[in-house]
Amino acid sequence: MSLAAVPARAASGATAAAPPSGDAILRRQRVRESSARTYARSFPIVPVRAHGMTVEGADGRRYLDCLSGAGTLALGHNHPVVLEAIRRTLDSGAPLHLLDLATAEKDDFTSALFESLPAEFAARARVHFCGPAGTDAVEAALKLMQTATGRSGSLAFTGAYHGMTAGALALTGNVAVKEPLPGGGEVVRLPYPYGYRCPFGVGGETGAQLGATYVERLLDDPSGGVVPPAAMILEAVQGEGGVVPAPDGWLREMRRITAERGIPLIVDEVQTGVGRTGAMWAVEHSGIVPDAMVLSKAIGGSLPLAVVVYREDYDGWRPGAHTGTFRGNTLAMAAGAATLRYVAAHGLAERAAVAGARMTSRLRELATELPAIGDVRGRGLMIGVELVDPAAEPDACGARPADPALAVRVREACLARGLIVELGGRHDAVLRLLPPLTITDEQVAAVLERLADAIAAASGPASASAVSSGSAASGSEASGSGSRPAAASAVAPSASAPAAREGA
């Protein structure tokens, strides 16, 4: 058959092949993809359309997405400003891949990034474009400080998560993912201030003060076993570690301790950046000026991009000291610049603070009704709900044992009600809420309603009776195959959002 005959045949009215069913796609994924897949196990759905906070599956069901690409989607799915930036770049004929050559798109992104950074930090900063993931930026930051200081060790914290490559994994606190592997370098593990499960058994401000004192005494102890390190790395709010915000005073103490001892301080803002915590960058809450910031996720406007921004004093690298084939992602730079400017121009960091405060306030009220909620914490639209066994004895700080089995049931109950939430923290017993910064008041109410109903239902009949019958009614319509939760259609972000398919 000639090539010319192909379009004629297509135009003759021949029936196009039906798209594969969601179930068939999921079956092939289970057979063909690695056992390391994660989110696909938690959410057995096949998204086909998405707009803002709403995701539609191949079966026609709609979901409110409180995962947002693990915090990547600051503006939600397919935001018009992001799509316009991508289309404009494609239509311009700009090269999409140029390693680390200078381009107008890179120059514009760098300008937008530096405009968004704390002024004192940006004034003497340089940026290094890394591979496409945050873990590569962590590796780059470590290598940068090792080069600058001539040292090799690092200081990291309990509960930390910095990535899955060798150096970043060594810094990460999760033992389960590290156990099967050889060591990844010398790391001194320090206590992170976790009020609900305080490492010193006292909690609150006292626990944070003890942690700071411990760090200072350990570093100054000639028999403490700590060789002067290349850097300290920390998260202002631990994300994968269970959404644990560090007190501002403790962060200022870490900055003082490291500065006085000539230890570079790296702040990992991969998940906290671009307005997520109620400020453009999480370091702004405490006012600290780090020596380096690791940035990824939302800075690419939903596309892969990662950078290290650091004080120019540390720029001792030789050419090629840290490279990566995909560090010149033109589309991500265009989308990222548009995202950074949109967040700033529309006050979305402030919006995150207001919406987040409303959500945490309601969730804390809910904790008085549902004893399975042990703790509610977070900053801005980075919120954690720790689930516990209410029948167990509390520890010295009043914390009950984590209940990971309940957390799994709650996640499943949320999905059945049209709500996507993921787990994290110790024992994977913390529900993590990372909605887009564009979440509306109506969507806030829907998320809270569905989450309350799911926790009550998963906790048992006694807990279920504690929430309003209206919440239970809104979730009950999600159980039919091929249907979608009745409340989901009420919170679609705009008329342009795709309509869900009704029926089987």
Side-chain angles (χ1 to χ4, degrees), residues 6 22 66 71-72 95 126 141 145 153 204 238 282 303 334-335 337 436 447 459:
V6 175
C66 271
T72 300
R126 296 224 177 170
M145 297 311 180
Q238 290 190 340
L303 299 178
V447 168
S459 301

Side-chain angles (χ1 to χ4, degrees), residues 12-312:
S12 66
T15 304
S21 71
D23 288 342
I25 291 173
L26 290 173
R27 281 196 300 271
R28 285 194 291 275
Q29 182 185 41
R30 287 192 293 269
V31 171
R32 298 192 293 204
E33 291 190 26
S34 85
S35 297
R37 66 189 188 282
T38 53
Y39 298 112
R41 296 179 186 274
S42 304
F43 311 110
I45 60 178
V46 179
V48 293
R49 291 177 203 79
H51 183 94
M53 194 175 174
T54 304
V55 173
E56 183 183 347
D59 60 358
R61 295 187 183 186
R62 279 187 174 183
Y63 304 86
L64 288 177
D65 185 2
C66 271
L67 179 57
S68 299
T72 300
L73 304 172
L75 304 182
H77 295 273
N78 296 325
H79 192 279
V81 74
V82 172
L83 296 182
E84 196 278 330
I86 292 172
R87 289 191 185 103
R88 182 179 66 247
T89 305
L90 289 172
D91 292 344
S92 75
L96 301 184
H97 182 284
L98 274 177
L99 299 171
D100 66 355
L101 297 184
T103 65
E105 291 77 18
K106 178 190 280 190
D107 183 64
D108 186 56
F109 170 80
T110 304
S111 295
L113 177 62
F114 275 51
E115 289 163 7
S116 77
L117 292 168
E120 186 179 352
F121 181 58
R124 298 179 55 206
R126 296 224 177 170
V127 61
H128 179 78
F129 289 82
C130 307
T135 188
D136 189 67
V138 170
E139 300 283 353
L142 289 177
K143 288 168 66 174
L144 174 72
M145 297 311 180
Q146 289 167 352
T147 301
T149 64
R151 308 170 196 156
S152 60
S154 303
L155 305 175
F157 290 87
T158 54
Y161 179 83
H162 297 291
M164 286 290 181
T165 50
L169 189 61
L171 299 169
T172 293
N174 190 324
V175 174
V177 296
K178 292 153 60 95
E179 262 183 335
L181 304 172
E186 183 179 355
V187 175
V188 175
R189 189 73 52 188
L190 302 171
Y192 193 85
Y194 181 5
Y196 188 65
R197 301 194 185 279
C198 175
F200 301 101
V202 295
E205 184 178 339
T206 301
Q209 291 172 343
L210 284 173
T213 301
Y214 174 83
V215 171
E216 189 163 25
R217 297 281 176 88
L218 180 66
L219 295 178
D220 290 344
D221 186 348
S223 297
V226 181
V227 176
M232 172 189 284
I233 186 168
L234 58 81
E235 300 155 274
V237 182
Q238 290 190 340
E240 304 298 325
V243 193
V244 185
D248 292 338
W250 179 87
L251 286 169
R252 288 190 283 267
E253 280 294 277
M254 293 304 103
R255 175 67 284 191
R256 177 189 65 81
I257 290 168
T258 53
E260 290 176 355
R261 289 156 183 79
I263 301 170
L265 176 63
I266 303 168
V267 177
D268 184 337
E269 289 254 19
V270 168
Q271 193 167 105
T272 54
V274 195
R276 171 62 55 189
T277 66
M280 183 62 83
W281 307 102
V283 293
E284 294 180 83
H285 294 292
S286 62
I288 66 170
V289 179
D291 297 300
M293 288 169 59
V294 177
L295 314 177
S296 187
K297 292 193 185 293
I299 66 163
S302 76
L303 299 178
L305 187 63
V307 302
V308 180
V309 186
Y310 55 91
R311 282 177 47 199
E312 59 187 3

